[in-house]
Structures are given as structure tokens and as C-alpha cells.
């Protein structure tokens, strides 16, 4: 009896953190075929030209390339925030192009975590409440959301800053809250677009080490756009984009 | 429901930005409640004054050729037995001349049964001097309007003469003087019905009946019953004062058009504030969408915010209305006495339904106006919002 109780306890702990059994599935988390994006009507900008890309589950990948080469555009497509002009994107085997607006929202909430160059934290909410937000959107109750969120804030070394509002935190701290928020729903795929672009080297290294650790711990997939070659070199795989095309 | 959490927090955090929009709604609601109260108060006063100074129902002869109702006792009994009737007063009206020493005046003499007239018209409340009920015991008594008494220069206990065109006279003693506060005070004289009938050779005849009913709102129906049972022409106070009532109703329609416009202005004030909030919070909205908030949720957030602002405005408006009504009640005003008889302060008739109408209407228009920025927020492109610095 005592043995089964103990196992149950552990199981519950794991359940909270790995709500998505997807993390343990095999196969590709992202499969992109012939993806193109054209902006504008009169003057056409080919932001992406027939991109093919697969990302394996658990991969920690960097996307690099010159400014304006289409990195953000690609990331927004993978994040189901934007729609392709041509081509297909499968996220966890599901065709994003066939999803309704509501399904897209739900998939973003359950499968994806985002960190952008600007943290975009809700200014009127504390660090803890900001991290709770994706869980509340997912329909979790307040108590559960608070307990998960405080765990993650501990992981990003902000245990003593939980009640602070964004304007009471430094840029690096805000960005760590944003990372914690991206991880709150234990997403299978985390997307970061120049997420350390505004940070000093120390903060930026802290965040990368953190992401790396979490990547190992929970087998989450990370796709990170960066300018910083040193950081890129630490990842599993570097994808280079030039002029809307993958060059290697 | 995280939507209301975000809405509450933002509204509280942005109270400085929203203050004037809320105040505009509050002023609109408060002023309109006071306005409704004032219009209703004046209308009630006017209806009251009308209802009290004229009979609830007047029963006239059936055809226009005969000015008189014959065998009035018979009709009197039928009218008194009609359901809803409290009292009836038979009256014989006789325009005539009245003299006192060298003074002569043209008067409208009303021959009445004193008890019935007091019961029906409450004439004793206008008593200035003397004793109205003494008329019951005094066949040769007369009650005069105050200005008529002044014109004739006559006082209580003094004699006046009724003068017929053929020179015949009847001497009466002034036993009471009344003041109704209306122009009738210049020409009005009450004498006993039997005396007027005797002197003018109209035994068994009256000009009309005045009727008092229990519920003035039933007067139309009771008048119809009387007309059916007596064959005489019965006219309710509503019918007699149709022009006044129509005027009051028209006034109300015009007032509602103004209310609507004021609410629209205030409602769009909130919509405008909300619009600014949508623009200011573009990044937040984009991030919420990235986190999986649906477009519906985004628009719900802004609709809740609008409702919160609207409710705050409405509640503040209620407070303004209460305070305003209190100050109006303190403030004495001069109104023309012949129009607003007995009204010395602005009559504000504060009814619960005015609060309900004005609050409900304001919220409704707020929500309609707010749906525009809410929809705009929901249709925002998350990428564009997120890319913003
Ligand atoms: N909304 C848009 N409308 C028009 N052109 C756009 C838009 N977004 C991006 N672009 C263009 O697409 C190209 C790729 O942009 P982006 O993906 O942001 O590049 P990167 O992130 O690599 O700097 C650029 O030429 C950019 O100007
Ligand atoms: Mg970019």
C-alpha cells in the first residue's frame, strides 16, 4: 500500500509537468513542405521561398540568417500565428492549414510556447499571474495554475520575485518571466525569436543554459532564432536562412 | 474565466484614463433621471391641479338643444349607484347680475346642494372666511369668490342682491368667502340649489352633475357606465383635458429623443476610451492570442471592460441624481400661480423606474458602442501586434 501511494505521488508530479504525453512520442514535431510566404499586393515581397524543414521531437534548434531573411516569418508560421501563401505545415502530425480559428487558438495554447524579443508581459499582473495566464486560458483552476506557475518561476530563478509587477523587474528578469510563461502549459514546442536580443551577455547566457536544461529534462522541442553565433553553436542543429531560403 | 480577471485588473489600473468617460456617463444618467423626475413631477402637479379643480366626471344634458337636465333626482340616484362613484353633486348654473349698494358685477351663480358639492369638489378647502357648511341651514345664504367680494366691497354678514333681467331681485346674506387661486374667484358665487331653482323658475332642473370617483384612472370607464345607464352625456376629466394630456405625452416623446441623444454621446465616450485602450494594449492582445486566447475571448475582455465602466458610470449617476434631487427639494422657486397652482419648489417625482430606464438604457447603448472597439481588438493580427515594440 505504501509503495503504491509513493508511486501515485510521483506520477501526479509528473502529470503536472508532462500534461502532454506528446513529449514522449516519437516522430517529428514539425514537418514543413514547400512553404512560401508572399507579402504585399502591388509590390510583392517573397519572405519565404519553398521552404522544406523537419524538426525532430526533443531537438534544440537554432535558426540563423541575416536581417530580413525570413526567420521571423518562418517562426510565425510554425507558431500558427500567420498563414502560408503556399505549402503545408504539420505540427505534431496535424495540418495547421486545415484548422479553424478556434482550433488554432487551442493548439497554440496546448502545444506551443512563445518568447519574443519583447517580453509583452501583462503590465497589471504580477510575475506569478503572468505565468499563470496560459494555464488559466487552458481552463485550469487558479490554485493549480498558481502551483505550476510558482514551480516554473523557481526553475527560472525568480522564486523571490513572484509578486513583482513587470515594471518592478529588470529586462532580464522580465524575459525570464516570459520564458516561464512560455513553458507554463508544458508545450511540446517552444519558439523563441531573438529572445535575448535586448539582454546583456550574462542574462542571455543564463536563459540559454536554462532552456537547454529544460530541453534535456522534459524532452521539449526548442526552435530559437538568434543573431548570436556563440549561442547558436551550442544547439543541436543550426538552420541557416538567406533570402527566404534554407541554405544549410 | 480569465477574461473577467484581465478586464477587472485593466479597468482598475487604467482608472485615470477612464475617469472622464465614466464621469460623462454618470452626468448623463444623473441629469436624465433628474429630468425624468422633473417632467413627471410637473405633469403630476398639473394633472393633480386639473383633477382637483374640475370634476372627475361631468354629466351634461344629452342633446345640445336643451341646456337643462329635468327630473334630476332620478338621474342623481342612478349616478350615485354607479360602481366606482363616490359622490355626485347636482348643479344649476345661472349667469346673472349681483349688486351690493352701488356696486354691480356679472357673476356665474351655481346652485348647489352644499353637502354634495363639498363631498364632490372639496370646495371647503378653499374657504377664506366664514362658514361654508352654514349654507346647508341657510336658504338665503351665498358664498362668494374672494375677488368678487372685493369688487362688490362686501363682507361676511352683509347683504347682496341677485338681479333678474326683468328687475326682480332676491336678497342674500354673505356667509362665506372662498379663494381657489384661479380666475373663477372673480365671478363665482354659490347659493342653495332650491333657491336658485325657485328664483329662476327651474324647479326639478339642473345644468349638470359633478361626480367624484374613487380611482381617477377609472374615470373614463365610469363615465361610459353613467352615459349608458342615464342616457346623459358623461365626460371624464381625461376627455375634458385631452389637450393637456396630449401635450404632456408629446413632451415625453420629445424628452426621450433628447435622452437617447445624450446617452449616445456618453456611450460613444466610453467606446472612444475603449478604442484607445485597444490601441494601447495591442501588444498584450497579440501576446494573449499567442498564448491561445480565442478571438471571442479577446472581444469578451473588452466588452466586460465596457460593462464595468458603464456600471461605474451608472452608479455614480444614481448618486448624482439623489444628491441633485435633494438640492432641488431645498430650492424655492417662483412659478406663475395660475399655471402651477400651489407649486413652490421644483416638483421632482423620483421613481424607481426612472433609475431602471436610465441605467438600463445607458448600459445598452454603451454595449452597442463598445462592440465596435471590442470587435476591432478581436480581429487584430497577432503577428503585427507582437512585432510592435
Ligand atoms: N507584414 C509584412 N508585410 C510586408 N512585408 C513583410 C511583413 N513582415 C515581414 N515582411 C518582409 O518579409 C521579409 C522577411 O521578414 P522577417 O521574417 O521579419 O525577417 P527576419 O526575421 O529574418 O529579420 C522582410 O523583407 C520583411 O520586410
Ligand atoms: Mg525577425
Amino acid at each position: 500500500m505504501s509503495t503504491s501511494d509513493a508511486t501515485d505521488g510521483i506520477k501526479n508530479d509528473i502529470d503536472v509537468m508532462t500534461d502532454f504525453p506528446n513529449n514522449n512520442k516519437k516522430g517529428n514535431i514539425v514537418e514543413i513542405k514547400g512553404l512560401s510566404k508572399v507579402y504585399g499586393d502591388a509590390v510583392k515581397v517573397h519572405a519565404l521561398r519553398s521552404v522544406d524543414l523537419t524538426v525532430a521531437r526533443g531537438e534544440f534548434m537554432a535558426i540563423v540568417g541575416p536581417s530580413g531573411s525570413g526567420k521571423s516569418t518562418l517562426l510565425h508560421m510554425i507558431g500558427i500565428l500567420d498563414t502560408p501563401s503556399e505549402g503545408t505545415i504539420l505540427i505534431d502530425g496535424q495540418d495547421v492549414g486545415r484548422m479553424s480559428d478556434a482550433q488554432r487558438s487551442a493548439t497554440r495554447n496546448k502545444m506551443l510556447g512563445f518568447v519574443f524579443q519583447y517580453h509583452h508581459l501583462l503590465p497589471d499582473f504580477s510575475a506569478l499571474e503572468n505565468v499563470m495566464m496560459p494555464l488559466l486560458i487552458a481552463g485550469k483552476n487558479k490554485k493549480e495554475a498558481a502551483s505550476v506557475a510558482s514551480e516554473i518561476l523557481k526553475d527560472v530563478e525568480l522564486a523571490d520575485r513572484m509578486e513583482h509587477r513587470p515594471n518592478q523587474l529588470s529586462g532580464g528578469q522580465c524575459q525570464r518571466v516570459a520564458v516561464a510563461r512560455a513553458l507554463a502549459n508544458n508545450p511540446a514546442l517552444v519558439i523563441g525569436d531573438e529572445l535575448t536580443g535586448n539582454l546583456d551577455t550574462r542574462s542571455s547566457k543564463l536563459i540559454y543554459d536554462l532552456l537547454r536544461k529544460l530541453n534535456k529534462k522534459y524532452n521539449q522541442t526548442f526552435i530559437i532564432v538568434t543573431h548570436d553565433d556563440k549561442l547558436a553553436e551550442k544547439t543541436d542543429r543550426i538552420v541557416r536562412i538567406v533570402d527566404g531560403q534554407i541554405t544549410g | 474565466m480569465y477574461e473577467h480577471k484581465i478586464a477587472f485588473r485593466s479597468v482598475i489600473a487604467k482608472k485615470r484614463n477612464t475617469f472622464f468617460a465614466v464621469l460623462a456617463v454618470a452626468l448623463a444618467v444623473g441629469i436624465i433621471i433628474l429630468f425624468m423626475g422633473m417632467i413627471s413631477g410637473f405633469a403630476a402637479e398639473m394633472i393633480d391641479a386639473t383633477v382637483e379643480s374640475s370634476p372627475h366626471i361631468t354629466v351634461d344634458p344629452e342633446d345640445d338643444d336643451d341646456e337643462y337636465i329635468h327630473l334630476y333626482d332620478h338621474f342623481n340616484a342612478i349616478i350615485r349607484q354607479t360602481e366606482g362613484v363616490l359622490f355626485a353633486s347636482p348643479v344649476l348654473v345661472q349667469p346673472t347680475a349681483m349688486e351690493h349698494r352701488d356696486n354691480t358685477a356679472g357673476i356665474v351663480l351655481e346652485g348647489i346642494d352644499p353637502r354634495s358639492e363639498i363631498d364632490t369638489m372639496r370646495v371647503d378647502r378653499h374657504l377664506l372666511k366664514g362658514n361654508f357648511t352654514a349654507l346647508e341651514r341657510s336658504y338665503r345664504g351665498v358664498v362668494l369668490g374672494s375677488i368678487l367680494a372685493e369688487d362688490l366691497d362686501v363682507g361676511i354678514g352683509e347683504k347682496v342682491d341677485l338681479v333678474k333681467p326683468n328687475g326682480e331681485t332676491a336678497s342674500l346674506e354673505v356667509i362665506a368667502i372662498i379663494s381657489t387661486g384661479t380666475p373663477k374667484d372673480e365671478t363665482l358665487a354659490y347659493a342653495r340649489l332650491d333657491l336658485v331653482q325657485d328664483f329662476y323658475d327651474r324647479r326639478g332642473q339642473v345644468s349638470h352633475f359633478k361626480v367624484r370617483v374613487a380611482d381617477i384612472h377609472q374615470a373614463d370607464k365610469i363615465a361610459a357606465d353613467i352615459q349608458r345607464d342615464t342616457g346623459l352625456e358623461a365626460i371624464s376629466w381625461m376627455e375634458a383635458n385631452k389637450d393637456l394630456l396630449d401635450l404632456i405625452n408629446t413632451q415625453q416623446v420629445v424628452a426621450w429623443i433628447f435622452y437617447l441623444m445624450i446617452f449616445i454621446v456618453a456611450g460613444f465616450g466610453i467606446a472612444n476610451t475603449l478604442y484607445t485602450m485597444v490601441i494601447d494594449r495591442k501588444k498584450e492582445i497579440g501576446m494573449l492570442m499567442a498564448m491561445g486566447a480565442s478571438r471571442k475571448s479577446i472581444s469578451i475582455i473588452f466588452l466586460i471592460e465596457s460593462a464595468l465602466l458603464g456600471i461605474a458610470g451608472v452608479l455614480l449617476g444614481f448618486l448624482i441624481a439623489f444628491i441633485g434631487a435633494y438640492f432641488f427639494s431645498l430650492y424655492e422657486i417662483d412659478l406663475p400661480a395660475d399655471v402651477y397652482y400651489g407649486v413652490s419648489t421644483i416638483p421632482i417625482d423620483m421613481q424607481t423606474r426612472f433609475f431602471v430606464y436610465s441605467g438600463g438604457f445607458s448600459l445598452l447603448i454603451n454595449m452597442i458602442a463598445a462592440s465596435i472597439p471590442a470587435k476591432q481588438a478581436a480581429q487584430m493580427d497577432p503577428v503585427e501586434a507582437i512585432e510592435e515594440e
Side-chain angles (χ1 to χ4, degrees):
Chain A
M1 185 191 125
S2 62
T3 336
S4 91
D5 267 359
T7 349
D8 276 0
I10 292 166
K11 230 181 174 175
N12 282 341
D13 276 348
I14 292 170
D15 273 357
V16 174
M17 293 310 288
T18 54
D19 217 11
F20 261 84
N22 301 339
N23 295 7
N24 307 323
K25 279 201 287 191
K26 294 289 161 204
N28 295 326
I29 184 84
V30 180
E31 283 184 30
I32 296 172
K33 281 202 184 70
L35 177 66
S36 296
K37 180 68 178 182
V38 183
Y39 286 112
D41 297 321
V43 184
K44 296 208 180 339
V45 180
H46 293 265
L48 292 175
R49 299 162 194 267
S50 194
V51 168
D52 296 323
L53 178 69
T54 53
V55 183
R57 209 175 290 275
E59 225 177 341
F60 196 103
M61 191 182 97
I63 298 178
V64 297
S67 179
S69 57
K71 305 181 296 292
S72 296
T73 306
L74 178 60
L75 233 47
H76 294 151
M77 299 292 165
I78 297 171
I80 335 180
L81 291 167
D82 207 346
T83 47
S85 305
E86 254 174 70
T88 56
I89 304 172
L90 304 186
I91 303 289
D92 196 32
Q94 291 184 61
D95 188 345
V96 168
R98 291 167 185 268
M99 287 181 179
S100 70
D101 208 53
Q103 284 172 318
R104 291 159 63 92
S105 296
T107 308
R108 281 202 294 268
N109 180 239
K110 302 223 155 60
M111 301 273 301
L112 299 164
F114 297 88
V115 192
F116 300 103
Q117 184 173 359
Y118 308 101
H119 58 77
H120 295 329
L121 294 175
L122 303 184
D124 308 317
F125 289 84
S126 69
L128 182 68
E129 289 168 322
N130 265 288
V131 179
M132 284 164 68
M133 203 50 76
L135 294 153
L136 296 177
I137 292 173
K140 298 264 185 337
N141 70 42
K142 220 173 139 183
K143 210 172 145 218
E144 192 184 343
S147 100
V148 173
S150 60
E151 278 307 309
I152 303 173
L153 278 168
K154 278 178 205 153
D155 276 344
V156 298
E157 292 167 29
L158 286 172
D160 55 345
R161 292 284 188 278
M162 292 198 199
E163 299 307 325
H164 288 57
R165 298 255 171 125
N167 62 6
Q168 299 167 313
L169 297 170
S170 72
Q173 287 170 332
C174 281
Q175 201 61 334
R176 275 188 276 156
V177 176
V179 168
R181 179 179 60 187
L183 300 172
N185 258 341
N186 194 26
L189 175 60
V190 180
I191 288 168
D193 192 354
E194 310 202 19
L195 75 167
T196 56
N198 292 331
L199 300 182
D200 56 72
T201 1
R202 210 185 75 84
S203 303
S204 120
K205 186 175 178 313
L206 189 81
I207 286 179
Y208 270 96
D209 290 347
L210 185 79
L211 294 180
R212 205 60 235 230
K213 208 172 80 192
L214 294 167
N215 164 248
K216 294 249 164 66
K217 190 171 167 191
Y218 299 119
N219 197 34
Q220 283 165 317
T221 311
F222 286 78
I223 304 177
I224 306 293
V225 165
T226 182
H227 269 110
D228 188 336
D229 288 344
K230 266 198 204 131
L231 289 177
E233 275 160 20
K234 291 190 198 168
T235 60
D236 297 338
R237 176 181 168 202
I238 300 175
V239 169
R240 193 168 302 274
I241 297 187
V242 178
D243 209 9
Q245 284 173 308
I246 292 180
T247 59
Chain B
M1 278 294 279
Y2 63 97
E3 291 93 343
H4 70 249
K5 204 174 146 104
I6 294 177
F8 270 85
R9 194 65 67 85
S10 310
V11 164
I12 290 167
K14 311 253 180 335
K15 52 187 175 294
R16 264 194 225 97
N17 313 20
T18 56
F19 177 75
F20 285 105
V22 170
L23 190 66
V25 171
L27 286 173
V29 168
I31 288 170
I32 285 170
I33 291 173
L34 287 174
F35 233 85
M36 287 176 168
M38 245 188 274
I39 288 183
S40 163
F42 272 114
E45 291 281 354
M46 284 173 79
I47 289 173
D48 249 29
T50 308
V51 168
E52 280 311 309
S53 65
S54 57
H56 295 170
I57 297 172
T58 308
V59 183
D60 289 328
E62 77 190 292
D63 72 75
D64 297 335
D65 298 339
D66 194 347
E67 284 182 55
Y68 300 98
I69 299 170
H70 302 266
L71 300 171
Y72 77 92
D73 271 340
H74 162 70
F75 294 118
N76 200 8
I78 296 175
I79 293 168
R80 280 167 189 266
Q81 277 158 22
T82 306
E83 202 187 323
V85 170
L86 291 179
F87 305 105
S89 172
V91 183
L92 178 59
V93 179
Q94 187 63 55
T96 184
M98 182 173 272
E99 285 181 359
H100 174 65
R101 301 208 183 107
D102 296 337
N103 303 324
T104 307
I107 65 160
V108 179
L109 182 65
E110 293 198 18
I112 55 166
D113 169 46
R115 179 67 359 226
S116 299
E117 182 70 9
I118 288 169
D119 287 342
T120 306
M121 296 304 295
R122 311 253 155 102
V123 273
D124 50 333
R125 77 201 140 108
H126 301 307
L127 187 69
L128 201 61
K129 281 181 221 156
N131 183 352
F132 201 113
T133 48
L135 198 56
E136 288 182 79
R137 299 180 300 275
S138 143
Y139 179 71
R140 291 199 166 271
V142 69
V143 178
L144 300 183
S146 56
I147 298 170
L148 175 61
E150 265 173 47
D151 289 348
L152 291 173
D153 195 19
V154 64
I156 303 285
E158 291 188 280
K159 301 277 184 202
V160 290
D161 287 326
L162 289 179
V163 185
K164 280 215 270 197
N166 63 9
E168 204 181 321
T169 64
S171 177
L172 305 178
E173 183 188 332
V174 178
I175 58 167
I177 292 171
I178 59 168
S179 172
T180 62
T182 69
K184 280 169 88 180
D185 292 341
E186 294 167 35
T187 54
L188 182 68
Y190 287 117
R192 285 261 294 257
L193 177 60
D194 44 2
L195 174 121
V196 179
Q197 285 173 333
D198 291 344
F199 186 55
Y200 292 95
D201 295 321
R202 300 212 172 272
R203 284 193 190 81
Q205 300 177 21
V206 294
S207 310
H208 55 251
F209 292 94
K210 301 174 187 176
V211 179
R212 183 172 204 88
V213 297
D215 177 3
I216 59 165
H217 303 292
Q218 297 293 319
D220 263 338
K221 192 194 149 290
I222 297 167
D225 290 347
I226 292 173
Q227 184 151 333
R228 189 194 57 220
D229 294 346
T230 59
L232 301 173
E233 190 179 356
I235 297 164
S236 69
W237 68 271
M238 289 97 132
E239 201 181 335
N241 296 288
K242 198 171 173 307
D243 289 350
L244 174 68
L245 294 177
D246 283 351
L247 182 75
I248 288 171
N249 285 336
T250 314
Q251 191 186 24
Q252 241 138 32
V253 171
V254 173
W256 268 97
I257 293 170
F258 276 101
Y259 300 157
L260 185 70
M261 295 198 295
I262 294 170
F263 281 133
I264 288 174
V265 170
F268 275 87
I270 284 208
N272 183 53
T273 303
L274 218 57
Y275 179 81
T276 319
M277 282 169 87
V278 170
I279 301 297
D280 284 352
R281 285 155 68 194
K282 213 169 161 178
K283 302 175 285 193
E284 272 181 60
I285 297 167
M287 198 60 227
L288 283 167
M289 285 178 167
M291 283 191 266
S294 65
R295 293 188 186 277
K296 195 174 132 206
S297 293
I298 299 293
S299 88
I300 286 172
I301 289 171
F302 283 93
L303 289 177
I304 294 174
E305 291 186 15
S306 153
L308 290 175
L309 297 178
I311 289 167
V314 166
L315 293 180
L316 195 60
F318 286 178
L319 193 68
I320 290 174
F322 273 120
I323 294 171
Y326 174 72
F327 278 106
F328 274 125
S329 73
L330 297 181
Y331 187 66
E332 293 262 333
I333 46 156
D334 283 324
L335 292 171
D338 49 343
V339 184
Y340 300 107
Y341 173 72
V343 183
S344 64
T345 57
I346 296 175
I348 295 199
D349 176 23
M350 293 288 258
Q351 294 186 17
T352 318
R353 66 193 170 96
F354 298 156
F355 287 78
V356 175
Y357 291 162
S358 138
F361 211 58
S362 169
L363 286 181
L364 182 73
I365 292 181
N366 282 349
M367 292 321 279
I368 293 171
S371 67
I372 302 164
K375 195 171 172 193
Q376 193 180 24
Q379 285 173 346
M380 201 172 270
D381 174 9
V383 172
E384 193 189 319
I386 287 162
E387 293 279 272
E388 206 165 86
E389 192 168 331

